[in-house]
Every structure is written in C-alpha cells, then in structure tokens.
Amino acid sequence: MTQGQGEQRPPAHGGGDDWQRDVLRELGGGASGSGRPGAEPRRGEPTLRLVHPPPPQPGTTAEAAAGEDASAPHDAPHVAPAAPAPRDPAPRAGAADAPGPGRPASPAAREPRLPAAPAPESSPTLDPRLLLALGSPLHGDSVPRRTGRALRKLTSSVSQDVAEQTRIARELQQPVTTGRVVAVTSIRGGVGKSTVSALLGRTLNHYRHDPVLTLEADTALGTLPVRMGADAVRWTVTDLAPVLHPSMKLTDVTGYLVPVSDGGWLLPASRGQVGPPLDMTAYRKVTLALRRYFAVTVADCETLPGEVARTAMDTAHARVVVAPTTAEGVGATRQVLDWLARLPHSALATTVVALVSNTPDTLLDDKAAAGHLKESGVTVVTVPYDRHLAGGGPIRTDLLAHATRQAVLRLAAEVMGRAVRVR
C-alpha cells in the first residue's frame, strides 16, 4: 500500500535471519557480508555461480552465447541449459576435461555445440486497442466521501489509528526462516480471486524488506498480470519448471520473472492464450524451488475443485478462500471450509475467508454472511465494494478506497500471522 500510517519499512530483523540477509546481498549485486561489490564470500559459505544464462535478449545469437560461455571459469559445473530444449554444455579446455587412461572423453568434447532454443515470445497482457478504450481509472472513494473523511480526521484522535497500524505492520514484517506460500482460491471464477491475490502481493511487498513473488497458477486466461500492471509476459510457470536448478542465485531467477512497477515480482501461468492446463508436477516443482529465494509467494490458484487448486490448498502455509457476497457463493464457500476441516492436518486453522462485495447494491447482509462462515471456525475479512477495483485494469493502490486499504491490510496481517506459525 502507498498510504496510511506506520508504513515505513524498518531495518532488517536481527537474529536468525541470515537467509534474508543473504538474499538481500544477492539483490545488491552479489557482494559478501563486507558490503563491497565483488568481495570474496565468507569462509565456509558455498559460492553460487551463474549456471543458467539469463533469457536471450533480442539480437543475441547462438555464436555470441557460445563465446560468453567459453570465457567462464574452468571449474564451473556442467548443468542443463536454461532453454527448455536440451543441449550439451560448451566444451572447456583444461586438464580437468582431458581424457585419460580409463576415462573416456566427455560428450562435450566429442560433439559440436548445438544452438540454443529461442526464448518464448513476449506477449502483451492487453490488446493496445483495449488500453485506449480503458479510460482513466476512478478513485475508490467518491469526492464527498473523501472530503468528509478529511474533515473527521481534523476533529478525531489519531492515537488509536496509529496503534492499530503499528500492530498490523508488525504482523506483516514478521521474519521467516524459509519462504512461505499463501494459496488464494475460490469456488468459482469472477468473484475477485485474482484481485485479492494482486492486493496481497502488493501489500506484502510494500511492508516487507525481503523479496515477494506473486505467482499465477491458473491458465484459464487469468487476469493477474493485468491486475499487477504488467505490460507484457514471456516466461511462464511451465517454461520455468525445467530451468530451475539448486545452484541458481536470486539474480538468475529474476531474469525469468516480470518486475512489478512498485516492487516485487510476477510469474504468470500463460501468455494470454488458451493452452493446456497447468501441470500439478510443474506447480509443485516451481513453488518448492522458489521458496529459497522469496520470503512470501502468493499463489493465485485455479478455482476449486481443480487439481492444482486442491494441491495448493493442501501444501500451502496459509490459505485464502475468496467468497462473493451472494447466498449461493457463501453457501458453496462453506462447503469448501468443511472440506478443509477434513484434511489430515489442521488446514482450517490456517485459512482466512475474504468476503468480497462486487456490487454497491448487495442484497445479502454482509454481517449475516460473515457469521455463517465463522461457524466453521475461520476468520472472515470483509472487503467492501470499491469503484476502482470494479473498473478492472491495473490496480493503483493510491486510488483504492480507504475502507478497502484497511480491509486488505487486515487480511494480509491475518494471513501472514498464520503462515509464520506453520513449521
């Protein structure tokens, strides 16, 4: 979020956060603990090398890539290429690669270097003609409402608001020893699942000092890249699954991700085209691997009862079920909560329901709906109707209504508190 009190980021937490400090050092250019770029790593700390080249840039040829690889150190490990199509590593000169008695020549020494497979084509998230037709976004609060709130602030005490903002900020900034995964799903599409995922990703990135990833696990032409403000996408979850390697650094991984304008990273599930559904194996491999680099991963999953959604809900550290403020939506969400209660582990204890209102004229009473859902033992956070969110397109946090910002802050704090408690 960009407004509100208590939003200043604190210094790094002390004690038990070596993992976070190492990640931040990589973001700063791979310097060691001394803070000098290019300094030698600390004693006993493994040296991570760039074992996968970043995605080829336009105009890069296979011969140029081969020339860069030939200049790599001789002791660099032989690994699989970054491109999905397999190829042999470039031959390296040196005594370590020379064949000897009882040691046959390596395949790289016997076979010529194969050209690298091209990177996926970049695709725009929205047709340029639709961008022109989108128009100017509305503020979530009307002018009279904003004026009235400004007048009330002049006559009211702000001490209580400051205390609440401080408590929420403390919840959002809790240190983690390993990356946490937050799965967001719903019982049907079109209820605001991707919108809630984008709001959570932006909020956590704003308050935390370590990297945050928003991952799309829904290939049914999801709207997450648009809501996150991405102009174009290239690498997807399926593309990245065969590329990831334990020796990669954070700076290597982010070469395949989409940087978000106000911070954080995005990994889409498709390039805006109808394609095969996301494979459950690819989802698990990517989320498990990226936990090493990102403190929090917000996964925008497909709707239930899809296979990836059920896997994500079963393996995540915290869960968010988005429910529309309608009678049928609340009833179906209650069935999902009853299913979570039957899982082998305590999934219901780490679940929060986001009760979203998508229209200003809701017929169902939100307090009665929240009470029905709370009977299952979960926490319910009501996200009110917001003109800015209802208009679609990229989300601008400065245009969110005040009530929406407060609801999203509370939702993020509830989710983060549950995710941290899970071992």
Side-chain angles (χ1 to χ4, degrees), residues 308-392:
V308 174
R310 287 185 284 111
T311 300
M313 296 291 282
D314 190 32
T315 58
H317 299 92
R319 303 152 185 85
V320 178
V321 180
V322 181
T325 312
T326 61
E328 59 272 22
V330 171
T333 302
R334 177 62 186 271
Q335 297 180 18
V336 173
L337 299 178
D338 294 339
W339 166 72
L340 289 173
R342 294 192 296 269
L343 291 179
H345 51 281
S346 180
L348 204 60
T350 56
T351 300
V352 182
V353 174
L355 187 60
V356 178
S357 178
N358 295 315
T359 174
D361 303 317
T362 303
L363 299 178
L364 185 66
D365 182 70
D366 56 350
K367 294 183 179 179
H372 180 69
L373 296 172
K374 288 179 181 178
E375 291 178 357
S376 60
V378 299
T379 298
V380 179
V381 177
T382 301
V383 181
Y385 171 77
D386 189 293
R387 298 191 310 170
H388 175 61
L389 296 178

Side-chain angles (χ1 to χ4, degrees), residues 1 4 44 92 115 135 148-149 177 225 230 238 241 251 282 287 289 356 359 400:
M1 312 304 294
R92 292 182 174 87
R149 181 174 174 272
T177 54
T238 304
T251 49
T287 52
V356 178
T359 174
L400 293 176

Side-chain angles (χ1 to χ4, degrees), residues 292-308:
R292 298 179 56 243
Y293 309 98
F294 296 93
V296 185
T297 299
V298 179
D300 178 20
C301 303
E302 63 182 354
T303 56
L304 290 167
E307 184 180 36
V308 174

Side-chain angles (χ1 to χ4, degrees), residues 67-396:
E68 293 175 0
D69 189 70
S71 62
H74 297 312
D75 57 347
H78 294 272
V79 295
R87 60 181 176 87
D88 292 328
R92 292 182 174 87
D97 296 324
R103 181 182 176 186
S106 63
R110 296 193 307 264
E111 300 178 7
R113 183 183 180 88
L114 299 177
E121 292 291 336
S122 179
S123 303
T125 56
L126 276 180
D127 190 290
R129 294 169 294 181
L130 293 178
L131 290 177
L132 294 176
L134 192 58
S136 300
L138 293 174
H139 196 286
D141 284 328
S142 62
V143 174
R145 180 175 296 181
R146 279 179 279 167
T147 303
R149 181 174 174 272
L151 293 176
R152 286 192 299 271
K153 287 178 62 178
L154 295 176
T155 59
S156 62
S157 173
V158 297
S159 58
Q160 186 175 358
D161 291 339
V162 171
E164 178 65 12
Q165 294 288 338
T166 303
R167 182 192 67 80
I168 291 178
R170 189 179 298 114
E171 287 285 330
L172 295 175
Q173 295 163 354
Q174 294 183 77
V176 296
T177 54
T178 57
R180 308 282 95 178
V181 178
V182 177
V184 183
T185 188
S186 61
I187 194 62
R188 60 175 58 91
V191 302
K193 172 178 60 66
S194 296
T195 299
V196 170
S197 301
L199 290 171
L200 284 176
R202 288 176 175 270
T203 301
L204 291 169
N205 176 77
H206 177 77
Y207 276 86
R208 298 192 64 85
H209 65 275
D210 38 22
V212 175
L213 171 68
T214 308
L215 181 147
E216 186 182 30
D218 185 359
T219 57
L221 297 179
T223 59
L224 183 63
V226 177
R227 299 302 253 168
M228 295 292 289
D231 296 328
V233 295
R234 173 174 290 183
W235 295 85
T236 66
V237 177
T238 304
D239 297 327
L240 190 58
V243 174
L244 290 172
H245 190 275
S247 298
M248 297 176 73
K249 298 196 299 184
L250 176 63
T251 49
D252 304 333
V253 174
T254 54
Y256 299 94
L257 308 179
V258 180
V260 182
S261 58
D262 55 354
W265 303 92
L266 167 68
L267 178 60
S270 68
R271 284 181 284 275
Q273 300 172 351
V274 178
L278 178 64
D279 181 65
M280 181 185 63
T281 304
Y283 168 80
R284 296 195 61 153
K285 178 178 180 180
V286 169
T287 52
L288 286 174
L290 294 182
R291 282 173 55 187
R292 298 179 56 243
Y293 309 98
F294 296 93
V296 185
T297 299
V298 179
D300 178 20
C301 303
E302 63 182 354
T303 56
L304 290 167
E307 184 180 36
V308 174
R310 287 185 284 111
T311 300
M313 296 291 282
D314 190 32
T315 58
H317 299 92
R319 303 152 185 85
V320 178
V321 180
V322 181
T325 312
T326 61
E328 59 272 22
V330 171
T333 302
R334 177 62 186 271
Q335 297 180 18
V336 173
L337 299 178
D338 294 339
W339 166 72
L340 289 173
R342 294 192 296 269
L343 291 179
H345 51 281
S346 180
L348 204 60
T350 56
T351 300
V352 182
V353 174
L355 187 60
V356 178
S357 178
N358 295 315
T359 174
D361 303 317
T362 303
L363 299 178
L364 185 66
D365 182 70
D366 56 350
K367 294 183 179 179
H372 180 69
L373 296 172
K374 288 179 181 178
E375 291 178 357
S376 60
V378 299
T379 298
V380 179
V381 177
T382 301
V383 181
Y385 171 77
D386 189 293
R387 298 191 310 170
H388 175 61
L389 296 178
I395 295 177
R396 286 180 49 183

